[in-house]
Amino acid sequence: MDDRSWMYRDSPQGLRRMDYCNGVQGFINFTTYIPRNFTDGGIRCPYRKCKNLKFLHQDVVTMHLLTKGFMEDYLCWYAHGELFVPDESMEEQVVGSTSSASNMYEVGNENSNPYRNMVMDAMRMSEGNVRECPIVEEEPNADAARFFDLLRDSDEPLWDGCTNHSKLSAVAQVFTIKSDHGLSEAGYDKIIEWARSILPEGNRLKENFYAAKSMMKPLGLGYQKIDIFPNFCMLYYL
C-alpha cells in the first residue's frame, strides 16, 4: 500500500497540507474509476461523520474531505473497492494506489474531465499559497462555496442532453477565443447573444462577459495591463 500518512497528519490550524489536497483528489479518482462504487449517482462518503454510510455526489464528498477530514482508521479504502490482505508476512496488497489509480483514471477513464481538474488545481493554489490550501471546521466559507459551484459547473451540461460541453467548458472556451482574437467586451457579448439564440431553450451559457468573468474569477485567470502610446501608436526598432 502506498504511504497514506497524509490522511491524518497534523496541519497548522486553518490549513491543509498540499499533499492532503493531492491525496483527496487521488482518492476521488480511484473511487470514481470503479463503476460499482456508485449508487444513485453518489459514492460512499468517508468523512468522519458520514462514516461511509451516506452516498453523496463526488463534489460533496470532495468538499467534506477537504474541509473536515477522513473517518478514523480508513487507511485501506475497503468500502471503495480496495482489496486488503492482512498478512504480516506479505506486503499489503491493494487494487490500485493513490498514484496508480490517478494514472489509470487519466488514461482509461473516458469521463476524465480536465475542467474539474482545473478547478481542483485552482482550489489548491487559492490565495497564492502553493503548499497549503484553506479548510474550515463547519460550513464552507464564501471562497470555498464558489469553488464548490465551479465543480458543479464543470459537470453540469450546457443544456439538458448536451454531451460535449459543460457550463464551465463553454465559458472557458469562449474566453479563449476572446483572448486569442482580441475581441472587445462588446464583441464578446454580441457573440454570446447570437449563440444563445441558436442554442436550445434553457441553455446555461452565461449571458454576457460580466457574468462569465464573475463565474471564472475564483480560477484566478487574471490579466496584466501594459501601457501603450497615445492613439494606439506602436514603437518600432529599425
Side-chain angles (χ1 to χ4, degrees):
M1 183 185 296
D2 55 326
D3 180 12
R4 292 182 183 163
S5 57
W6 56 266
M7 292 175 63
Y8 303 106
R9 187 179 294 128
D10 292 336
S11 303
Q13 186 172 4
L15 296 170
R16 284 285 190 209
R17 295 172 58 93
M18 193 63 190
D19 58 349
Y20 181 87
C21 297
N22 289 333
V24 168
Q25 184 60 58
F27 168 79
I28 295 296
N29 289 350
F30 172 80
T31 300
T32 55
Y33 184 81
I34 303 174
R36 69 168 181 261
N37 281 334
F38 288 90
T39 297
D40 295 329
I43 58 175
R44 291 184 184 274
C45 180
Y47 156 52
R48 60 175 179 260
K49 288 187 178 179
C50 294
K51 294 183 177 180
N52 286 326
L53 298 177
K54 294 182 179 180
F55 287 86
L56 304 174
H57 189 277
Q58 64 196 63
D59 291 346
V60 179
V61 175
T62 298
M63 189 60 65
H64 276 186
L65 297 179
L66 285 176
T67 59
K68 302 178 182 181
F70 283 85
M71 59 187 281
E72 294 181 358
D73 301 322
Y74 197 56
L75 288 173
C76 176
W77 302 334
Y78 54 84
H80 295 86
E82 186 169 66
L83 177 64
F84 176 61
V85 182
D87 185 346
E88 295 181 359
S89 65
M90 301 172 60
E91 291 186 357
E92 295 169 342
Q93 300 177 26
V94 300
V95 178
S97 64
T98 303
S99 57
S100 63
S102 179
N103 292 337
M104 184 169 56
Y105 177 84
E106 293 176 3
V107 173
N109 191 346
E110 295 178 354
N111 295 320
S112 181
N113 186 337
Y115 294 94
R116 166 182 285 275
N117 295 338
M118 179 174 67
V119 176
M120 292 301 299
D121 288 343
M123 183 184 293
R124 299 183 192 111
M125 300 289 288
S126 178
E127 298 179 356
N129 192 332
V130 299
R131 295 187 178 178
E132 296 169 321
C133 61
I135 64 168
V136 291
E137 287 301 321
E138 298 300 331
E139 293 301 318
N141 59 26
D143 289 336
R146 281 192 288 269
F147 279 119
F148 187 38
D149 289 341
L150 278 174
L151 282 172
R152 280 201 301 265
D153 291 342
S154 71
D155 287 327
E156 187 174 12
L158 186 57
W159 67 84
D160 292 341
C162 178
T163 59
N164 59 347
H165 280 295
S166 69
K167 184 177 177 181
L168 178 60
S169 74
V171 170
Q173 291 186 35
V174 179
F175 258 44
T176 299
I177 293 172
K178 179 185 184 301
S179 175
D180 288 348
H181 298 280
L183 293 178
S184 65
E185 292 184 18
Y188 180 100
D189 289 349
K190 283 294 184 182
I191 291 175
I192 295 301
E193 181 181 359
W194 171 79
R196 284 170 58 88
S197 72
I198 63 173
L199 290 175
E201 186 175 352
N203 71 81
R204 302 176 180 92
L205 185 62
K206 287 295 183 179
E207 62 273 16
N208 53 41
F209 179 76
Y210 178 81
K213 185 173 69 172
S214 298
M215 172 185 174
M216 300 289 283
K217 186 176 180 180
L219 296 178
L221 304 178
Y223 59 91
Q224 179 182 5
K225 288 186 176 180
I226 302 176
D227 292 332
I228 61 174
F229 289 93
N231 301 321
F232 300 98
C233 293
M234 300 180 69
L235 181 64
Y236 292 91
Y237 289 92
L238 300 177

